[in-house]
């Protein structure tokens, strides 16, 4: 059963309990912060798997604050997994997309960071300051969920803004909430984006205003999974290899008969460095 | 002639190059001990920078001269191009070595570099790139072995290499065709990140095609440089006869690009006045259309300055294109900013200096360039034949 989390943006009060729980459970160091008037928790980094961002938005002529927890979306067909050439990312049957070097101690990653280029949500981060850096991102609390526990962040959430469960059931519940309450935007973010994600979001203000990627270069984000796009190209490799090789061999054999014969050793020579 | 000892003349320019190489080597050492963050300006928004964008992507594209010349000379047997064949192979080999070195520098967990040989992430484009580049570099080393053993006498090995030459030559064209295109496919994942003027399902085609037509242009530029450096006659007739191939390939490139933009309905984006659209227009007008016209006009094409200028535009244009894909096209969607640090520049400059030194050393000690007396009589065959 593939797990998921339903995030109801309307219920989030920006207490940041999820951020703290995540740090504690995953044993992540804190980073030095600077004083500022900004309540926004900033961006993900290699010590921070989740952040709660503040968004000011307009809803029916009224200015409203909304708070959005961000972390890896645990895509159904993850771009990071398909990009990695050492199999360091896997989509587990439980739904989590894990990075094997740090989660299950299988250290194959070469640190090429192609996973970071590939992820459409800009999630994986890198330990830039380390000599032998790892890629870091939310693990979906893999050790916990395997034992039937909720993730640390959903466990900590005091308002029910985060709900852990089976993805399909959560999706049904999301639509139920949307249909029972006209305030919600009629969209579940994560249902279809990039082939669907395990984390699903519902909200009463348009997703674009919350910093979600809804439109890129003036058109809606792709609903096809990224791995399927890559595969559309990669699947031709063996045919090109064999076909092009055969064609070249044939051409070489055909033109060789008519070719003149050379003695290359006579033709070339070292040059004298005159300067 | 072949009994000559090794020689390497030291000039002030070469001393400067050596200093640059040593400086870069020190910086590399520092990078390996203290990590990428200590020397580069890379960040979570900009995980790939100068080394991947320039040294790897451009290095490999510029090395395209190797496989296009090999195709023309050794598969199609167009013998008039023989004088440039070896020089093209050499620069290509050196270009690949640079790319491998920069890849090695750029990977964070470099002691794991051999892992992809064993954990097959074959659904990754990078997997194909990695395998093809490693294999092709090996093949080029073997191809070069044929030249190497002309000087360093080792008849048995040379003979073995001789038997292997045909399959090596074929593989030596198939592999680079595959990975030149897969360097483009790397960016398929960047749908919704890379600006639509560059992102396309056809990007693999654009990459391999441009690497191919870049070949002759690169050979022209590099041949002219070499003849300047050594006070030789540039092989103008060879350069000229290559322009036709380049021109037609570029015309096809341009047409396909236009069709592709139209098909995806983003043609208008080229004229929306944004930074990206301007960069795209420069790329197309200055670096594609202009050289096409220069190659098409006989009074320009037949002059040395004409071919060389047009070829230089082609070479710079391909670099410009790769830079647009890696930087310009990604800037808007990933946010943040990236400009290479002084150390990144230093290491890049050092690597290219090392390439120049290696080139000088090799052409002065091995038979790479044609002997002067043959330069302009390339249509005749040379003396009795010993091997076919
Ligand atoms: S959000 Fe990014 S890192 Fe997370 S699973 Fe999807 S592609 Fe991978
Ligand atoms: S950085 Fe590591 S996990 Fe990411 S793609 Fe490269 S090898 Fe795979
Ligand atoms: S699922 Fe676990 S790792 Fe991910 S954000 Fe929540 S607590 Fe952190």
């Amino acid at each position: 059963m593939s797990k998921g989390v339903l995030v109801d943006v309307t219920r989030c009060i920006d207490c940041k309990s999820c951020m703290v729980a995540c740090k504690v459970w995953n044993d992540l160091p804190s980073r030095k912060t600077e004083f500022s008037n900004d309540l926004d928790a900033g961006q993900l980094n290699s010590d921070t798997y989740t952040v709660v961002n503040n968004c000011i938005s307009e809803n029916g002529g009224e200015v409203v604050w909304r708070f959005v927890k961000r972390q890896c979306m645990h895509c159904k067909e993850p771009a990071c997994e398909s990009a990695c050439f050492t199999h360091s990312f896997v989509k587990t049957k439980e739904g989590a997309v894990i990075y094997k070097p740090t989660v299950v101690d299988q250290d194959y990653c070469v640190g090429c960071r192609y996973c970071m280029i590939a992820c459409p949500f800009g999630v994986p981060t890198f330990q830039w300051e380390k000599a032998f850096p790892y890629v870091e991102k939310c693990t979906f609390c893999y050790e916990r969920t395997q034992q039937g526990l909720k993730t640390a962040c959903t466990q900590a959430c005091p308002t029910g803004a985060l709900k852990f469960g089976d993805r399909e059931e959560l999706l049904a519940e999301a639509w139920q909430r949307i249909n029972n309450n006209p305030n919600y935007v009629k969209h579940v973010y994560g249902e279809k984006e990039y082939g669907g994600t395990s984390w699903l979001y519902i909200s009463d203000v348009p997703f674009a205003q919350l910093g979600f990627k809804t439109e890129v270069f003036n058109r809606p984000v792709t609903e096809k999974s990224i791995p399927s796009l890559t595969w559309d190209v990669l699947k031709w490799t063996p045919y090109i290899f064999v076909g092009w090789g055969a064609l070249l061999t044939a051409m070489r054999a055909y033109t060789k008969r008519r070719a003149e014969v050379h003695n290359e050793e006579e033709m070339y020579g070292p040059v004298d460095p005159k300067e | 002639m072949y009994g000559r000892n090794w020689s390497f003349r030291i000039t002030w320019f070469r001393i400067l190059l050596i200093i640059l190489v040593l400086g870069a080597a020190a910086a590399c050492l520092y990078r390996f001990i203290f990590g990428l963050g200590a020397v580069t300006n890379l960040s979570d928004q900009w995980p790939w920078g100068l080394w991947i964008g320039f040294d790897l992507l451009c290095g490999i594209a510029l090395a395209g001269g190797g496989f296009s010349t090999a195709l023309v000379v050794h598969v199609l047997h167009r013998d008039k191009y023989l004088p440039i064949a070896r020089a093209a192979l050499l620069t290509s080999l050196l270009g690949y070595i640079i790319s491998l070195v920069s890849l090695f520098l750029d990977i964070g967990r470099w002691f794991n570099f051999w892992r992809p040989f064993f954990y097959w992430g074959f659904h990754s484009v990078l997997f194909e790139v990695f395998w093809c580049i490693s294999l092709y570099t090996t093949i080029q080393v073997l191809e070069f072995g044929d030249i190497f053993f002309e000087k360093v006498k080792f008849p048995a090995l040379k003979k073995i290499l001789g038997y292997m030459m045909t399959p090596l030559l074929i593989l030596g064209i198939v592999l680079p065709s595959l990975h030149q295109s897969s360097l483009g496919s790397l960016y398929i994942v960047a749908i919704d990140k890379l600006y639509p003027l560059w992102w396309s399902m056809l990007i693999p085609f654009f990459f391999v095609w441009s690497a191919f037509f870049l070949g002759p242009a690169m050979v022209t530029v590099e041949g002219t440089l070499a003849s300047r450096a050594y006070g030789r006659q540039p092989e103008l007739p060879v350069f000229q006869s290559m322009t036709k191939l380049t021109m037609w390939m570029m015309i096809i490139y341009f047409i396909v690009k236009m069709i592709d933009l139209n098909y995806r309905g983003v043609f208008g984006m080229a004229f929306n006045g944004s930074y990206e659209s301007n960069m795209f227009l420069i790329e197309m007008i200055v670096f594609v259309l202009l050289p096409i016209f220069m190659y098409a006009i006989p009074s320009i094409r037949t002059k040395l300055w004409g071919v060389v200028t047009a070829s230089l535009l082609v070479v710079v244009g391909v670099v410009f294109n790769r830079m647009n894909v890696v930087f310009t096209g990604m800037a808007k969607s990933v946010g943040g900013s990236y400009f290479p640090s002084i150390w990144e520049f230093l290491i890049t400059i050092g690597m290219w200096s090392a390439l120049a030194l290696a080139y000088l050393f090799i052409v002065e000690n091995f038979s790479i360039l044609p002997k002067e007396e043959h330069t302009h009589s390339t249509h005749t065959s040379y003396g009795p034949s010993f091997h076919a």
Side-chain angles (χ1 to χ4, degrees):
Chain A
M1 276 289 207
S2 189
K3 297 293 179 190
V5 173
L6 177 59
V7 185
D8 191 332
V9 174
T10 62
R11 299 189 188 179
C12 179
I13 56 168
D14 196 26
C15 66
K16 298 192 168 83
S17 312
C18 52
M19 286 182 69
V20 176
C22 179
K23 285 256 183 192
V24 171
W25 173 259
N26 291 298
D27 225 349
L28 296 169
S30 50
R31 284 205 177 181
K32 214 174 160 179
T33 49
E34 279 164 18
F35 281 108
S36 81
N37 291 329
D38 194 357
L39 298 171
D40 192 276
Q43 286 179 326
L44 301 175
N45 60 47
S46 54
D47 298 328
T48 313
Y49 295 168
T50 184
V51 293
V52 182
N53 290 149
N54 291 196
C55 311
I56 300 179
S57 129
E58 271 206 6
N59 204 8
E62 197 189 339
V63 175
V64 292
W65 284 82
R66 286 293 175 269
F67 317 103
V68 188
K69 178 186 183 298
R70 314 307 297 258
Q71 72 296 306
C72 169
M73 300 288 283
H74 298 279
C75 307
K76 282 169 90 177
E77 293 173 60
C80 55
E81 179 190 33
S82 77
C84 179
F85 68 151
T86 64
H87 259 313
S88 288
F89 275 101
V90 280
K91 174 82 178 171
T92 63
K93 62 178 189 317
E94 294 88 352
V97 176
I98 57 165
Y99 171 67
K100 293 201 286 186
T102 50
V103 181
V104 289
D105 248 341
Q106 292 179 348
D107 185 5
Y108 315 146
C109 171
V110 300
C112 68
R113 313 182 294 288
Y114 187 40
C115 45
M116 301 170 70
I117 299 279
C119 172
F121 301 107
V123 168
T125 54
F126 200 58
Q127 294 176 319
W128 294 103
E129 59 296 327
K130 297 259 167 74
F132 301 124
Y134 285 117
V135 171
E136 294 278 8
K137 72 166 194 67
C138 154
T139 60
F140 211 166
C141 290
Y142 187 56
E143 305 90 331
R144 292 174 64 99
T145 55
Q146 266 183 316
Q147 296 168 19
L149 295 171
K150 297 175 176 180
T151 66
C153 53
T154 46
Q155 179 82 46
C157 180
T159 63
L162 308 177
K163 180 169 182 183
F164 181 83
D166 284 330
R167 181 185 187 268
E168 298 315 309
E169 285 168 20
L170 290 174
L171 188 59
E173 184 178 337
W175 277 111
Q176 208 179 359
R177 285 196 213 172
I178 291 173
N179 291 331
N180 290 343
N181 186 338
N183 288 341
Y184 282 107
V185 175
K186 301 242 167 302
H187 184 81
V188 178
Y189 194 91
E191 181 179 7
K192 299 214 178 92
E193 280 77 10
Y194 301 104
T197 61
S198 299
W199 282 61
L200 303 163
Y201 288 76
I202 53 175
S203 159
D204 59 342
V205 286
F207 286 100
Q209 291 177 27
L210 299 176
F212 281 88
K213 194 166 170 176
T214 53
E215 253 196 4
V216 196
F217 311 119
N218 299 324
R219 42 181 171 180
V221 300
T222 314
E223 289 189 357
K224 270 186 151 189
S225 79
I226 289 178
S228 71
L229 292 173
T230 323
W231 190 244
D232 274 347
V233 172
L234 269 184
K235 66 180 179 205
W236 295 101
T237 310
Y239 304 108
I240 297 175
F241 187 88
V242 175
W244 186 214
L247 183 66
L248 288 170
T249 315
M251 287 197 297
R252 176 169 161 90
Y254 176 70
T255 54
K256 189 164 187 156
R257 265 182 280 130
R258 299 180 312 177
E260 297 168 57
V261 165
H262 301 281
N263 176 13
E264 293 197 2
E265 295 208 19
E266 284 295 306
M267 180 171 174
Y268 302 95
V271 290
D272 279 321
K274 34 182 143 145
E275 266 166 81
Chain B
M1 174 64 97
Y2 295 116
R4 202 168 79 147
N5 288 328
W6 304 100
S7 71
F8 193 61
R9 208 184 136 103
I10 294 297
T11 64
W12 284 112
F13 180 62
R14 293 179 187 189
I15 291 178
L16 176 72
L17 290 181
I18 292 172
I19 293 174
L20 287 172
V21 173
L22 291 179
C28 288
L29 201 64
Y30 188 81
R31 173 258 169 278
F32 281 123
I33 298 173
F34 294 100
L36 281 167
V39 288
T40 68
N41 280 345
L42 297 173
S43 65
D44 289 334
Q45 282 76 46
W46 286 98
W48 285 2
L50 184 71
W51 296 340
I52 294 283
F54 185 71
D55 299 282
L56 179 91
L57 248 48
C58 296
I60 292 226
L62 297 182
F67 86 110
S68 38
T69 325
L71 177 59
V72 173
V73 173
H74 297 296
V75 171
L76 302 178
H77 289 106
R78 305 297 281 275
D79 288 336
K80 61 180 166 186
Y81 301 115
L82 260 177
I84 50 146
R86 287 190 167 188
L89 167 66
L90 174 64
T91 18
S92 170
L93 172 62
L94 294 174
Y96 272 83
I97 292 177
I98 287 240
S99 307
L100 282 179
V101 172
S102 66
L103 194 59
F104 186 65
L105 264 180
D106 197 80
I107 57 176
R109 309 178 64 74
W110 46 269
F111 52 88
N112 262 349
F113 76 93
W114 50 275
R115 295 281 189 179
F117 283 121
F118 296 92
Y119 302 97
W120 287 33
F122 54 80
H123 41 51
S124 167
V125 181
L126 200 56
F127 180 74
E128 185 178 318
V129 171
F130 178 79
W131 268 89
C132 286
I133 294 184
S134 331
L135 284 180
Y136 182 47
T137 311
T138 317
I139 285 177
Q140 289 189 96
V141 170
L142 292 175
E143 286 179 350
F144 187 75
D146 199 42
I147 301 169
F148 184 80
F149 291 122
E150 278 174 11
K151 172 155 177 139
V152 182
K153 297 285 182 202
F154 209 137
L157 272 181
K158 184 160 167 65
K159 206 160 168 196
I160 297 176
L161 276 179
Y163 288 130
M164 289 162 60
M165 227 11 107
T166 298
L168 284 183
L169 278 170
I170 301 291
L171 266 181
I173 296 168
V174 174
L175 289 174
S177 311
L178 279 177
H179 77 74
Q180 291 283 6
S181 64
S182 47
L183 281 174
S185 324
L186 278 180
Y187 280 86
I188 297 247
V189 295
I191 180 174
D192 291 357
K193 280 185 158 184
L194 182 59
Y195 203 74
L197 289 174
W198 291 285
W199 186 91
S200 160
M201 284 304 272
L202 288 187
I203 194 172
F205 165 79
F206 291 130
F207 265 54
V208 66
W209 197 255
S210 56
F212 198 94
F213 71 62
L214 170 73
M218 194 63 200
V219 166
T220 304
V221 171
E222 164 221 319
T224 316
L225 281 177
S227 57
R228 273 283 178 86
Y230 293 111
R232 298 156 53 98
Q233 275 294 322
E235 276 121 28
L236 188 58
V238 183
F239 299 163
Q240 270 164 18
S241 60
M242 291 187 304
T243 56
K244 225 188 197 153
L245 177 71
T246 318
M247 184 185 77
W248 282 110
M249 288 194 75
M250 291 183 81
I251 291 175
I252 293 173
Y253 178 83
F254 185 77
I255 294 174
V256 175
K257 197 123 205 172
M258 293 306 119
I259 295 176
D260 172 58
L261 291 181
N262 263 314
Y263 176 77
R264 289 183 294 118
V266 296
F267 190 77
M269 287 178 121
F271 305 100
N272 66 12
S274 63
Y275 174 58
E276 287 86 355
S277 76
N278 291 338
M279 292 295 264
F280 179 78
L281 287 181
I282 296 176
E283 183 185 322
M284 284 297 129
I285 295 170
V286 181
F287 298 115
V288 179
L289 291 179
L290 186 61
I292 290 179
F293 284 118
M294 292 181 75
Y295 283 147
I297 299 168
S299 61
I300 298 179
R301 175 180 68 216
T302 51
K303 306 269 181 348
L304 184 65
W305 71 264
V307 225
V308 174
T309 315
S311 303
L312 201 61
L313 283 176
V314 176
V315 172
V316 176
V318 171
V319 173
F320 194 75
N321 168 260
R322 303 303 192 257
M323 291 313 208
N324 277 340
V325 170
V326 188
F327 300 114
T328 319
M330 298 286 270
K332 191 174 270 169
S333 59
V334 300
S337 65
Y338 167 78
F339 192 79
S341 71
I342 174 103
W343 303 108
E344 290 176 83
F345 277 119
L346 205 80
I347 290 178
T348 292
I349 293 170
M351 281 200 284
W352 293 88
S353 306
L355 179 138
L357 284 170
Y359 180 89
L360 293 171
F361 176 78
I362 294 172
V363 294
E364 284 168 22
N365 287 282
F366 293 94
S367 306
I368 304 293
L369 298 175
K371 290 178 188 163
E372 283 275 39
E373 62 272 25
H374 291 306
T375 313
H376 293 293
S377 55
T378 47
H379 293 277
T380 52
S381 54
Y382 304 98
S385 94
F386 300 111
H387 54 85

